[in-house]
Amino acid sequence: MKIGIVGIGALGSLWATKLRQAGHDVLAITRDHSPRSISITLDQQAEFEIPANNLTQLSICQAIIITVKSTQVKQAIEPLFEYLPSNIPLIFLHNGMGALDQLGEQWNQHSLYLATTTQAAFKPSSQQVKHTGIGQTLIGTYRKTKLTPQLDSIIQVLDSALPKVVWHKQINDALWQKLAINCVINPMTAIYHCKNGELLQSQYQTEVDNLINECHQVMQAAGQNQSLSELSSTIKQVMLATGDNFSSMHQDIHHQRTTEIDFITGFLLQKAAQHQIACPHHQALYQKIKQLEESFI
Ligand code: PAF
């Protein structure tokens, strides 16, 4: 198969190298559309030379995986519109919710899919990627797209290259769950300069529990039926399992980059406002992250 990967950050590089390793053709699309090829070493073992930025070849790809951050989805995908026939599945993989809602009406005919993953990757340098955590990738519908036989065979290819990849009938449930995880872990680790696992320490417990409680209220109002104790144990489980990692928002703040706060806590606060639910703890974290971002300008 020929698969396009838009965004060659840690996850994009992981997908590009794993698909090449499995014998597939990969076309990488980088931010500035300039290099004709990129070279990436996977786990300090194999080096892959990957053709890049030949935009006319997008039309012969069987699927495109868009791994840019939620803040970059619109600016990464809009310039590719003229090269992308509407029948090619576009699979968006990023933290947060609401990024696709920002795309213009011209995308309504396209086959858009949403994905979420617990695979973890780290890019120690621009030419290296490390697969730091084995997880699974769930793919599901955005608005009215369906699991077609074409998409089913793409899922099988993706699953054999970087297992597990499965179709999820209720992707919204999985996205809400990931949103809650990110709403608690990401801003706190960025503000308190700590690793994910440190949030399990007693000094953070009251704040963690308040944040989980507010998340749970909004999720209930949005039709998510998980119990508070289930949600709490899922989030704390992720803190434990990724205990030694610095969250993506911690890294963004550390490198003075714009964070995904608008698509994480911002999305939660938007839904809270629609349902008239007060979320003072999330509101406070949102403001602190915004202040930190403003101090970088
Ligand atoms: O954004 C992140 O860093 C990750 O989604 C997570 C799960 C919080 C692990 O670090």
Side-chain angles (χ1 to χ4, degrees), residues 112-115 138-142 145 151 166-169 171:
L112 310 183
Y113 295 91
L114 284 165
L138 307 173
I139 300 182
T141 181
Y142 175 68
T145 48
L151 188 74
V166 288
W167 175 256
H168 193 301
K169 275 193 196 145
I171 193 74

Side-chain angles (χ1 to χ4, degrees), residues 128-294:
Q128 275 177 294
V129 65
K130 285 186 181 170
H131 189 190
T132 50
I134 293 169
Q136 67 167 353
T137 304
L138 307 173
I139 300 182
T141 181
Y142 175 68
R143 294 190 177 154
K144 56 186 185 331
T145 48
K146 290 196 173 73
L147 176 60
T148 58
Q150 180 197 8
L151 188 74
D152 195 37
S153 60
I154 289 155
I155 289 177
Q156 283 172 38
V157 163
L158 299 180
D159 183 47
S160 60
L162 181 53
K164 248 182 140 13
V165 179
V166 288
W167 175 256
H168 193 301
K169 275 193 196 145
Q170 307 290 344
I171 193 74
N172 226 30
D173 296 358
L175 294 173
W176 263 109
Q177 178 130 324
K178 185 73 192 290
L179 189 89
I181 292 167
N182 289 138
C183 276
V184 179
I185 298 181
N186 293 27
M188 280 193 79
T189 50
I191 290 163
Y192 300 119
H193 302 290
C194 64
K195 291 184 172 180
N196 296 353
E198 290 176 58
L199 296 180
L200 290 165
Q201 292 171 5
S202 58
Q203 80 249 40
Y204 298 120
Q205 275 339 281
T206 311
E207 186 166 3
V208 163
D209 289 338
N210 286 333
L211 290 167
I212 296 176
N213 211 343
E214 289 178 4
C215 255
H216 183 252
Q217 287 177 47
V218 180
M219 287 171 75
Q220 291 270 300
Q224 295 294 308
N225 292 323
Q226 208 177 19
S227 72
L228 178 60
S229 63
E230 267 172 353
L231 184 66
S232 176
S233 82
T234 304
I235 295 175
K236 290 178 183 171
Q237 197 50 49
V238 175
M239 290 175 182
L240 193 66
T242 63
D244 222 21
N245 296 3
F246 284 111
S247 77
S248 53
M249 197 172 288
H250 177 284
Q251 294 178 50
D252 285 338
I253 291 291
H254 182 76
H255 293 105
Q256 306 210 336
R257 298 186 294 238
T258 306
T259 71
E260 296 182 283
I261 195 78
D262 282 325
F263 296 91
I264 295 177
T265 310
F267 184 86
L268 182 86
L269 291 174
Q270 219 179 300
K271 294 291 156 196
Q274 279 168 18
H275 297 286
Q276 295 168 335
I277 297 168
C279 288
H281 295 92
H282 287 281
Q283 190 71 51
L285 291 187
Y286 180 82
Q287 267 149 12
K288 277 188 200 152
I289 295 290
K290 282 290 180 189
Q291 275 162 13
L292 286 169
E293 285 181 347
E294 274 159 28

